[in-house]
Amino acid sequence: MHVVATAGHVDHGKSALLRALTGMEPDRWAEERRRGMTLDLGFVWTRLPGAGDIAFVDVPGHERLVGNMLAGVGPVPAVLFVVAADQGWQPQSEEHLAVLDALGVRHGVLAVSRCDLADPDAARKEARTRIAESSLGDVECVAVSPVTGAGLDGLRAALVRLTDTLPPPDPAADVRLWVDRAFTVRGRGTVVTGTLAAGTVRVGDHVQLARDGRLLRVRGLESLKEARQEAGAVARVAVNVTGPGAGSLRRGDALLTPDRWLTTDLVDVRLRGDAAGDLPRELMLHAGSAAVPVTVRPLGDDSARLRLASALPLRVADTALLRDPGRHRVPAGLTVLDVRPPRLTRRGAAAARARELGSLPEVADGAAELRRRGLARRAELLAMGVRPPGDPVAGDWLADPDHWAALRDRLRETVEEHAVRNPLDPGMPLEAARQALGLPDRSLVEALAGAAPGLRQGDGRLYGSRARPTLPPAAQAAVDEVRADLARTPFRAPEAERLERLGLTPKLLAAADAAGALLRIGEGIVLLPGADAGAAAVLARLGQPFTASEARRALDTTRRVVIPLLEHLDRQGRTVRLDGALRRCAESPDTGDGRDAR
């Protein structure tokens, strides 16, 4: 299917032309038919050989109804521009063309209607000249009369050629269905209509309401009044949705593929039209079928920051326009450059930002976007409309190569500096390293450390060239005294009073343990390094299994020491605790009767 919107001055015969082309009535309301003037959006369709189904969105032409016109034309890729032969170019012809130009619409056909009432040449010449100066460029023109039928076959042929020029849609793309109509059907609930510009909608799918993030389920689906199980872009669709808050849906809402879009109320844009400094501070932003008041902050001549009154699901490279409703003007079209712009707090930041935006392409460049941000989640780049440029460095995180290399060097320096400042505890906690580098996720620190020569991870810490603590001379002397005592009685750990007299605080004992000078097996209990292996060898010579009392006697120690020592051996897997108070060495088989004969 192809979708084409109409455009043109009020009473130039847009609706009459669609009636003649499709045999359907585009004016849905009795008031429209009574007044002979389109007030709201109308939807009709036909099938043309060589083009298939073509759906038309008929828009009102009156200057007071431009908001309705924009809701219909916003998501549509092509236009049927209508100018009456007997009236020629008119004010709303100009405003509608400004709208199309601001939105960057590039595909269209010009129909000079009512050629039965006047010679179409003058109107054709002026209209083509004006349209050629817009984004539409040089369009094909056909003179027609809905009354006599003259030119209708030529217009049908021109529409077929138009559809051949339209870019193919991506049926696998994320769905963003801008709602242009919402109503209730008895027995079915809420139905919304819109132009599906990309992606595929299926019955049973869940869609996310952009306004508040709630999930709705697609209960039913129609396209061109036919029930469908799925509909792929480009298509006019009517979607029956159910779920909490479905009844609140309205024009300007958007239904999205869940968790694939970002909504934003702050965007940086490139302008086409009036200079940023000449724009009023308050304007109306039209994007898709939505109309949202915005505050304009000029950055450069052709760039600005927009603060939206309510958030919209926008992506990089989206086109939209700014309208001044009071003056019935479209002062600028725009292309979205950034949906997560940085804060501008320093003096001169706006000018610097304008220079940065001036270098950006209007088509999203993943490498350039990542270069500007340094780090970004892959899912967030996709949600912004940016194709990720490479593979993640950790989890879902992508990194600009230069930024990643700089972070790696900074991490190495930070770890070494920590060791110098903390000689008793040179290992820098991963969380402290994350905070020092201002990284958003600890997994990034771990990935950096793995890629940084000279760094080692262990026990949730990072170590550089100073992997072991350096004890002060007095502490080293105290440790040497403890080591001498333990050399004589390996399993009689010094009492707390002796450690206190020697000045060996818990922090110094931890440092001695990390330095390999002592072995901490429990709170305030230290032995010589390797004492655990020696104890296991002694216990292996006992009858298996054994009690704690038997272990205490075999090791010539106290209950204060033997219990934490046995627990330490359990953790190492050197001993295994059985039912009750019995243990056995891991290397010794269990006899099954609870005790070995001595």
Side-chain angles (χ1 to χ4, degrees):
M1 183 192 305
H2 303 283
V3 182
V4 178
T6 62
H9 191 74
V10 64
D11 197 32
H12 272 206
K14 296 185 294 297
S15 299
L17 187 55
L18 293 187
R19 286 189 206 100
L21 283 171
T22 68
M24 301 175 69
E25 175 57 69
D27 288 335
R28 294 181 291 114
W29 309 114
E31 177 69 9
E32 293 178 306
R33 295 190 287 274
R34 184 185 69 80
R35 296 174 61 178
M37 183 175 75
T38 300
L39 303 175
D40 203 352
L41 302 177
F43 311 102
V44 294
W45 55 90
T46 190
R47 179 166 292 174
L48 297 180
D53 292 325
I54 299 183
F56 296 94
V57 181
D58 191 28
V59 306
H62 197 281
E63 65 178 356
R64 295 180 181 175
L65 301 173
V66 172
N68 288 350
M69 178 265 185
L70 282 161
V73 79
V76 176
V79 64
L80 173 60
F81 205 106
V82 181
V83 176
D86 58 331
Q87 292 188 12
W89 198 259
Q90 295 292 318
Q92 285 312 110
S93 306
E94 190 65 35
E95 184 167 8
H96 280 203
L97 181 62
V99 165
L100 298 171
D101 186 49
L103 291 173
V105 178
R106 300 183 181 277
H107 305 277
V109 169
L110 170 64
V112 179
S113 67
R114 305 210 297 235
C115 67
D116 55 314
L117 300 181
D119 187 320
D121 286 347
R124 176 194 291 117
K125 183 177 180 180
E126 181 179 13
R128 290 194 70 180
T129 299
R130 291 178 180 269
I131 291 173
E133 297 173 353
S134 73
S135 61
L136 285 166
D138 186 19
V139 297
E140 185 173 356
C141 177
V142 182
V144 295
S145 170
V147 175
T148 67
L152 288 179
D153 286 343
L155 180 56
R156 292 186 180 100
L159 288 169
V160 171
R161 288 189 288 273
L162 171 66
T163 61
D164 286 340
T165 68
L166 297 178
D170 180 1
D174 299 332
V175 168
R176 176 177 56 183
L177 180 66
W178 292 103
V179 175
D180 53 36
R181 186 179 172 218
F183 52 93
T184 301
V185 175
R186 184 183 296 274
R188 297 192 64 83
T190 300
V191 175
V192 299
T193 67
T195 299
L196 182 64
T200 301
V201 178
R202 299 175 179 85
V203 173
D205 280 355
H206 283 86
V207 290
Q208 194 165 26
L209 178 58
R211 176 164 26 105
D212 56 18
R214 75 183 68 186
L215 289 178
L216 304 173
R217 186 174 65 84
V218 178
R219 181 181 181 184
L221 184 63
E222 286 188 359
S223 183
L224 307 187
K225 293 290 186 182
E226 293 183 2
R228 306 282 183 91
Q229 285 300 303
E230 67 175 51
V234 173
R236 284 293 306 174
V237 293
V239 187
N240 178 203
V241 291
T242 183
S248 69
L249 286 169
R250 57 184 182 264
R251 176 176 290 174
D253 276 331
L255 299 180
L256 314 170
T257 300
D259 302 322
R260 297 301 297 267
W261 292 83
L262 299 174
T263 58
T264 181
D265 61 1
L266 191 70
V267 293
D268 285 351
V269 301
R270 179 171 295 140
L271 301 170
R272 299 180 302 276
D274 291 0
D278 295 335
L279 295 176
R281 178 173 171 78
E282 306 291 336
L283 287 170
M284 189 70 72
L285 172 70
H286 291 267
S289 63
V292 175
V294 296
T295 302
V296 180
R297 177 180 179 179
L299 297 175
D301 287 341
D302 66 346
S303 59
R305 175 161 292 184
L306 306 182
R307 172 73 68 178
L308 284 62
S310 54
L312 291 178
L314 298 177
R315 283 184 170 177
V316 175
D318 277 347
T319 57
L321 62 84
L322 296 172
R323 183 167 176 264
D324 186 342
R327 299 181 181 180
H328 301 292
R329 285 190 69 236
V330 178
L334 61 89
T335 299
V336 176
L337 297 179
D338 197 343
V339 296
R340 287 290 187 267
R343 296 177 62 188
L344 303 177
T345 55
R346 295 179 300 173
R347 184 179 181 86
R353 180 63 172 160
R355 290 191 295 272
E356 183 179 26
L357 294 174
S359 66
L360 295 182
E362 294 196 353
V363 177
D365 182 334
E369 191 69 30
L370 190 57
R371 190 159 49 249
R372 290 195 307 120
R373 296 177 183 277
L375 294 168
R377 289 190 182 275
R378 185 178 186 277
E380 185 173 58
L381 285 181
L382 286 169
M384 291 166 54
V386 178
R387 185 180 296 277
D391 296 325
V393 294
D396 194 39
W397 287 100
L398 296 160
D400 171 67
D402 290 342
H403 183 64
W404 188 248
L407 284 174
R408 189 176 59 228
D409 292 343
R410 281 181 55 202
L411 178 62
R412 189 185 301 108
E413 294 170 3
T414 301
V415 170
E416 296 291 359
E417 289 170 0
H418 173 88
V420 171
R421 293 193 305 271
N422 301 274
L424 293 179
D425 188 13
M428 188 174 195
L430 287 169
E431 177 60 20
R434 184 195 70 78
Q435 294 180 16
L437 268 64
L439 295 174
D441 194 314
R442 204 171 91 168
S443 67
L444 291 168
V445 180
E446 295 171 341
L448 281 169
L455 289 188
R456 179 177 62 83
Q457 298 183 56
D459 301 323
R461 292 172 177 266
L462 296 177
Y463 297 90
S465 59
R466 298 170 182 259
R468 292 180 177 273
T470 302
L471 296 174
Q476 184 63 57
V479 167
D480 289 343
E481 286 194 41
V482 170
R483 287 175 60 85
D485 293 344
L486 289 169
R488 292 187 291 271
T489 53
F491 303 112
R492 287 189 172 270
E495 299 285 344
E497 293 80 2
R498 174 157 172 75
L499 294 174
E500 185 176 351
R501 285 196 306 274
L502 291 170
L504 291 175
T505 64
K507 184 176 182 179
L508 286 172
L509 290 176
D513 176 68
L518 293 174
L519 171 66
R520 279 197 310 169
I521 60 170
E523 189 67 32
I525 298 177
V526 292
L527 301 175
L528 288 175
D532 45 1
V538 171
L539 297 176
R541 294 194 290 271
L542 293 177
Q544 306 292 314
F546 54 84
T547 65
S549 293
E550 290 171 329
R552 176 182 60 77
R553 289 193 297 271
L555 297 172
D556 186 25
T557 187
T558 64
R559 183 174 178 80
R560 177 182 71 89
V561 175
V562 78
I563 296 301
L565 176 56
L566 290 172
E567 291 173 347
H568 175 79
L569 295 174
D570 290 343
R571 290 192 295 273
Q572 288 186 320
R574 295 177 185 269
T575 55
V576 179
R577 185 163 187 171
L578 306 176
D579 291 342
L582 297 177
R583 282 182 174 80
R584 64 173 173 81
C585 289
E587 297 79 6
S588 300
D590 189 353
T591 61
D593 61 359
R595 300 285 291 176
D596 279 342
R598 299 284 167 87

